[in-house]
Amino acid sequence: MLSGMRCIKCQRSWPIGDYFGGCPACAAAGAPASVAPVFESFPELKVAGDIATWLAYPGRPQLGEGNAPLLQLHEIAARYNFKWLGVKNEGANPTGSHKDRMSAAIVRRALDIGARTLAVASSGNAGASLAAFAAHAGLKCVVVTTEAMVRGWRKAIELHGADIIVAPSSAARWDLVSLHARSGEWYPATNFMTPPVGSNPFAVDGYRAIALELYLSLGAEQPTDIVVPVSRGDLLWGLAKGYADLVSAGLVRDIPRIHAAEPFPRISRVMAGEDYLGQFDGRSPLLSLGGTTVTYQAIQALLCSRGVVVGPSADQTIAAQRELAQAGLFVESSSAIALAGLKILREQSVIAEDASVVLILTSHGYKEG
């Protein structure tokens, strides 16, 4: 049962509430960090139906999200000499990405507190997802994007009845969401702060379910390593927190090493000693992993899981996308970076030959223009 919130940095406890700017104490000190839900205890976890009781908002599923298939890739595992290689295919979610887990959690929180208009700053996946889940729940939705949004996403969002606002830049998206969120008009799903703290903590909580599903699927043979596509680390932190809770409940002995694959150096620069509050300029065709900032949650997730961050090139990522397609999985290029990152981690001997590895493939590729 949800009992409160706690800062992931200073560990200060706070009452249950919406902390869009993260921990008030850390924000006041000029070093923002997100908060996470705290639970009194964890109930039994034996079947998929038990997962909901581990979440901040257990409510009924909205559109059949979650329980994405875990598929074993025998040929690719043999090619790179891995003991076992699997992919968590999040593209099987209702709108085709892991963002559906976030959207379901946000809708449940919004219904609980009486919020009527949801808002998201998005280049595509999150906007299409939130628009769908808001429509299903009878809530309004505003998607703030840029001209770069792919036509397919735009069409889906419009058909779901959400309003699209095109901002002149990614930074301008946050300014607009901030204005309306602070006034109480919009209930935000994603970050709008600078420096960022990550998405709505109730949204991020939905990603913990992936760790719980992996536990149920693999039992005693949990992965030694997990590779995750990363921008600001919502999914990365959700996975690490989910496994930390499994450790606390005595269901697993340790957190797998959770590695980050980013399209250009951001987190890697912070891990090398730079301040996480800085700006990390870079360009990439992987729009879903864009952004020039780093969150504390991304750093903390890597530290607590002993993970490593790597930065595959665009060419390496496209090659990995092709390799996955030839194995029957057409994924978004921003998902394929996980396989590209795995290759680098293997070449650097970060991941050993006898490793059991899971790649998180965040979205299918049919939405890319």
Side-chain angles (χ1 to χ4, degrees):
M1 178 181 294
L2 181 65
S3 62
M5 314 291 282
R6 181 177 295 128
C7 175
I8 69 171
K9 186 177 183 182
C10 73
Q11 298 299 304
R12 181 166 177 173
S13 295
W14 301 94
I16 297 171
D18 292 303
Y19 298 90
F20 305 132
C23 169
C26 287
S34 54
V35 299
V38 176
F39 303 90
E40 290 181 0
S41 61
F42 295 109
E44 190 174 55
L45 182 60
K46 290 188 175 181
V47 297
D50 296 334
I51 290 175
T53 62
W54 280 54
L55 302 179
Y57 278 88
R60 298 172 64 184
Q62 298 293 321
L63 289 172
E65 71 285 348
N67 291 311
L70 178 63
L71 309 173
Q72 189 171 355
L73 299 183
H74 299 279
E75 292 187 3
I76 296 179
R79 192 174 302 150
Y80 300 107
N81 297 316
F82 289 116
K83 176 182 176 182
W84 191 92
L85 177 62
V87 296
K88 189 69 165 163
N89 185 17
E90 292 294 308
N93 278 297
T95 74
S97 86
H98 71 299
K99 298 292 187 180
D100 289 345
R101 298 176 184 270
M102 171 197 80
S103 297
I106 282 292
V107 164
R108 293 170 192 146
R109 171 65 179 172
L111 292 173
D112 183 55
I113 64 174
R116 299 302 305 167
T117 301
L118 309 182
V120 58
S122 171
S123 60
N125 277 322
S129 177
L130 192 64
F133 280 76
H136 185 70
L139 299 175
K140 295 180 180 179
C141 181
V142 179
V143 178
V144 185
T145 189
T146 66
E147 290 288 354
M149 177 177 277
V150 173
R151 180 180 298 179
W153 277 317
R154 182 185 293 269
K155 180 178 180 180
I157 292 167
E158 291 174 341
L159 287 175
H160 288 311
D163 294 328
I164 296 178
I165 298 177
V166 178
S169 67
S170 293
R173 297 180 311 174
W174 288 4
D175 291 339
L176 187 59
V177 173
S178 175
L179 176 66
H180 291 275
R182 293 178 189 278
S183 70
E185 297 174 77
W186 297 351
Y187 184 71
T190 51
N191 177 79
F192 58 81
M193 306 294 296
T194 303
V197 294
S199 292
N200 185 309
F202 296 108
V204 177
D205 183 72
Y207 294 138
R208 289 171 54 246
I210 299 177
L212 308 182
E213 291 171 17
L214 288 173
Y215 164 74
L216 289 174
S217 295
L218 298 173
E221 299 296 327
Q222 291 298 300
T224 58
D225 299 85
I226 301 173
V227 187
V228 185
V230 173
S231 176
R232 295 186 186 88
D234 291 340
L235 175 58
L236 186 72
W237 169 253
L239 268 171
K241 182 63 166 64
Y243 266 105
D245 292 339
L246 288 167
V247 171
S248 296
L251 297 177
V252 299
R253 289 192 298 178
D254 203 358
I255 303 174
R257 298 182 71 192
I258 305 177
H259 309 289
E262 61 179 359
F264 59 88
R266 294 169 299 196
I267 301 172
S268 56
R269 289 170 58 183
V270 175
M271 298 299 283
E274 294 189 38
D275 191 338
Y276 78 95
L277 301 176
Q279 285 286 321
F280 305 89
D281 293 334
R283 300 181 64 85
S284 170
L286 310 184
L287 296 181
S288 295
L289 300 179
T292 60
T293 52
V294 172
T295 59
Y296 182 80
Q297 67 179 359
I299 305 306
Q300 181 60 22
L302 289 171
L303 292 175
C304 75
S305 69
R306 311 170 315 285
V308 172
V309 57
V310 291
S313 68
D315 287 345
Q316 289 172 316
T317 298
I318 296 305
Q321 184 184 37
R322 186 178 302 110
E323 189 169 2
L324 287 166
Q326 291 171 354
L329 294 166
F330 179 41
V331 301
E332 190 177 79
S333 54
S334 295
S335 296
I337 197 174
L339 177 58
L342 174 61
K343 294 180 186 181
I344 295 173
L345 291 165
R346 181 69 194 94
E347 291 167 1
Q348 295 176 348
S349 297
V350 173
I351 297 181
E353 284 189 11
D354 62 349
S356 297
V357 183
V358 171
L359 306 179
I360 308 297
L361 305 182
T362 51
S363 176
H364 67 61
Y366 297 100
K367 293 171 286 187
E368 283 191 322

